[in-house]
Amino acid sequence: MAGKTAEYLFGGTQQWSPNDWTSSDDRVRGGSSQSTLEISPDTDHAKFMGNLDIDTLGGAGFASQRTTGSRRWDLSAYDGMELDVAESDEKLYTLILKDELLPDRPDGRERSSLSWQADLRFVGSGKVVVRWKEFRPTYRGKEVDDADPLDLKSIKRLGIMMRSHFGSQSGEFNLSVRYIAAWKAEAEEDKNESVTIESKGSIDSENGRDKGSTCCAIL
């Protein structure tokens, strides 16, 4: 499979900055999970890390980092996302895109809106490609069957989440990423292949959704 990174969003030629990211954890719903994005000037990657607590909410829980403000990336010329993973604990993570952000509620809290999610279990290290077809529309963790297509001309938010999947994982987590980029296939046949990894290590893609899940952050 041939492919190349087309545009760095974070990392690579676009230096990581803590000002670009903020936490969105289950504490907004009374939980106790917490996440941070640690960026060291001595390294070329960012660490998504924290603790996923599932006891407070009775088996549910989530911890996530998402981009700040409202962005507007036009990714319509590309075929998916690429992550260069430096190190992983082999837990199941969720990559999230949003093409719509709603006005805040009167009390200042964010309103929930549709999210496009791809569940990924990283094993080892390497460059991972996630094609657009791997992202599934969800609303508060439930898959939406009649959603409009993802508007790739106007991606407003990106997030990384660790969640419980009904108590199947919990505790400390750590995912180190060198960069996140838009990716374009070099060959036409590459555009329709499934999720792949381009260097050492491997990836386990789990795109089935927990239909009854209500444990997701407002990203």
Side-chain angles (χ1 to χ4, degrees):
M1 194 277 296
K4 64 179 181 180
T5 298
E7 178 181 343
Y8 291 107
L9 303 181
F10 299 98
T13 59
Q14 302 296 321
Q15 187 174 4
W16 290 97
S17 170
N19 296 327
D20 290 330
W21 296 84
T22 188
S23 62
S24 183
D25 304 327
D26 62 20
R27 287 175 292 175
V28 300
R29 298 183 184 173
S32 301
S33 300
Q34 58 182 351
S35 68
T36 61
L37 193 76
E38 183 180 281
I39 301 169
S40 171
D42 300 327
T43 65
D44 61 350
H45 57 263
K47 288 185 178 181
F48 172 49
M49 56 193 297
N51 182 74
L52 178 64
D53 173 81
I54 64 173
D55 295 327
T56 303
L57 297 179
F62 62 83
S64 66
Q65 290 282 311
R66 52 91 166 167
T67 52
T68 54
S70 178
R71 312 298 178 104
R72 192 181 185 280
W73 288 296
D74 182 354
L75 305 182
S76 58
Y78 307 114
D79 300 309
M81 302 293 293
E82 181 180 77
L83 288 78
D84 188 354
V85 177
E87 183 180 3
S88 176
D89 53 15
E90 301 187 11
K91 290 186 175 181
L92 187 63
Y93 290 84
T94 303
L95 183 63
I96 302 174
L97 301 176
K98 272 187 174 290
D99 60 6
E100 180 184 30
L101 299 178
L102 300 177
D104 289 346
R105 297 175 179 176
D107 61 5
R109 293 188 300 167
E110 288 193 64
R111 297 182 188 272
S112 297
S113 60
L114 197 71
S115 297
W116 291 78
Q117 305 185 1
D119 289 342
L120 305 167
R121 192 187 307 277
F122 304 98
V123 181
S125 62
K127 297 177 182 178
V128 178
V129 169
V130 188
R131 289 162 179 78
W132 300 134
K133 69 176 182 178
E134 304 295 337
F135 289 89
R136 298 292 186 265
T138 64
Y139 181 75
R140 290 189 172 181
K142 295 182 180 180
E143 189 164 336
V144 178
D145 295 327
D146 58 351
D148 292 332
L150 177 63
D151 184 3
L152 293 171
K153 290 182 176 292
S154 184
I155 300 299
K156 294 182 171 63
R157 182 170 289 175
L158 186 152
I160 304 174
M161 178 187 289
M162 163 61 60
R163 59 184 176 188
S164 67
H165 290 279
F166 295 103
S168 64
Q169 58 184 11
S170 63
E172 301 294 324
F173 60 88
N174 188 336
L175 176 68
S176 295
V177 181
R178 294 187 182 92
Y179 66 73
I180 301 174
W183 174 87
K184 187 173 181 62
E186 288 185 340
E188 186 66 26
E189 59 268 23
D190 292 337
K191 296 182 180 181
N192 296 317
E193 291 182 4
S194 59
V195 175
T196 60
I197 190 161
E198 296 187 329
S199 60
K200 64 180 180 178
S202 62
I203 182 171
D204 175 16
S205 174
E206 301 185 19
N207 289 302
R209 287 290 181 267
D210 296 323
K211 295 290 186 179
S213 176
T214 58
C215 62
C216 297
I218 302 172
L219 285 172

